[in-house]
Amino acid sequence: GNPPKQLTSDSALDYNPVVSPDGRWVVFCSERRGDPDLFVMDLDHPGSPRLLIDSKAMEDSPTFSPDQSTLFFVSTHDGNADVFQIDFLPRETMNLSAAHNLTRHVRGDFNPAVSPDGRTIAFSSDRDAYKSSDIYLVDANGSNVKRLTNSPGWDGSPAWSTDGRLIYFYSERDGKPR
């Protein structure tokens, strides 16, 4: 019920925020260094955002594991957009050498979403069709990638139900967005 509070004021774009499960940290994407990077802010001790991952690659779409120990995100570190994971150490600026590439594919993988039990990552990808995308699943350790949807249009931005039984996503079926 409180009015919104502005957290950032940089002239560059700040977007895709995610709040940690304990409500203390916010990780977001910012273009204040030119390319998209991940920044972190401590909501309990407000101050300037701090660079979370120092890299020349693009980082975007952050999301937390349920226990907050791991951050999943998209990066172009290995040449194309892949889903990565890294230990969440909010007081450190980390290097991508500490991150693990979970999806390693020549096509783009986007918008990771962690299951409520933390075992599975849903993501969208154009890996099987250049002009469309589908939803895929991968185990949190990077094994067992499997395709969940098969649509001639775009399926993307997966989100898990709180009980982990359903995955919601946008879809363009029969040429119509749904």
Side-chain angles (χ1 to χ4, degrees):
N2 293 331
K5 178 181 174 186
Q6 184 172 344
L7 297 177
T8 65
S9 60
D10 196 274
S11 61
L13 293 174
D14 292 336
Y15 51 94
N16 288 343
V18 61
V19 177
S20 62
D22 69 1
R24 178 170 180 182
W25 305 95
V26 62
V27 175
F28 63 95
C29 187
S30 179
E31 295 182 13
R32 57 188 70 198
R33 295 186 343 148
D35 291 324
D37 290 303
L38 296 183
F39 282 76
V40 63
M41 290 181 71
D42 185 342
L43 298 176
D44 286 350
H45 304 285
S48 297
R50 202 176 46 67
L51 182 65
L52 185 62
I53 298 174
D54 189 8
S55 153
K56 293 185 190 294
M58 177 274 297
E59 288 87 37
D60 194 2
S61 304
T63 189
F64 284 96
S65 62
D67 68 0
Q68 191 174 303
S69 66
T70 305
L71 189 70
F72 297 88
F73 59 97
V74 172
S75 178
T76 57
H77 179 263
D78 293 339
N80 57 291
D82 285 312
V83 177
F84 283 74
Q85 74 176 47
I86 196 166
D87 291 342
F88 180 60
L89 305 170
R91 291 179 181 85
E92 298 180 25
T93 297
M94 299 174 281
N95 187 296
L96 268 178
S97 63
H100 176 66
N101 186 333
L102 296 179
T103 58
R104 288 195 188 279
H105 198 273
V106 296
R107 291 284 184 82
D109 299 327
F110 311 98
N111 300 312
V114 183
S115 63
D117 65 8
R119 295 184 195 164
T120 308
I121 312 303
F123 63 96
S124 54
S125 179
D126 64 359
R127 59 179 51 206
D128 289 317
Y130 179 68
K131 294 192 177 196
S132 66
S133 71
D134 285 295
I135 305 299
Y136 293 77
L137 300 175
V138 63
D139 291 348
N141 66 6
S143 65
N144 299 319
V145 175
K146 71 178 178 180
R147 189 175 184 175
L148 189 63
T149 66
N150 188 356
S151 173
W154 294 92
D155 290 343
S157 297
W160 293 85
S161 62
T162 55
D163 64 7
R165 293 176 46 206
L166 299 172
I167 296 176
Y168 301 96
F169 57 95
Y170 72 76
S171 182
E172 178 189 47
R173 309 252 167 149
D174 304 322
K176 300 176 184 175
R178 300 176 193 218

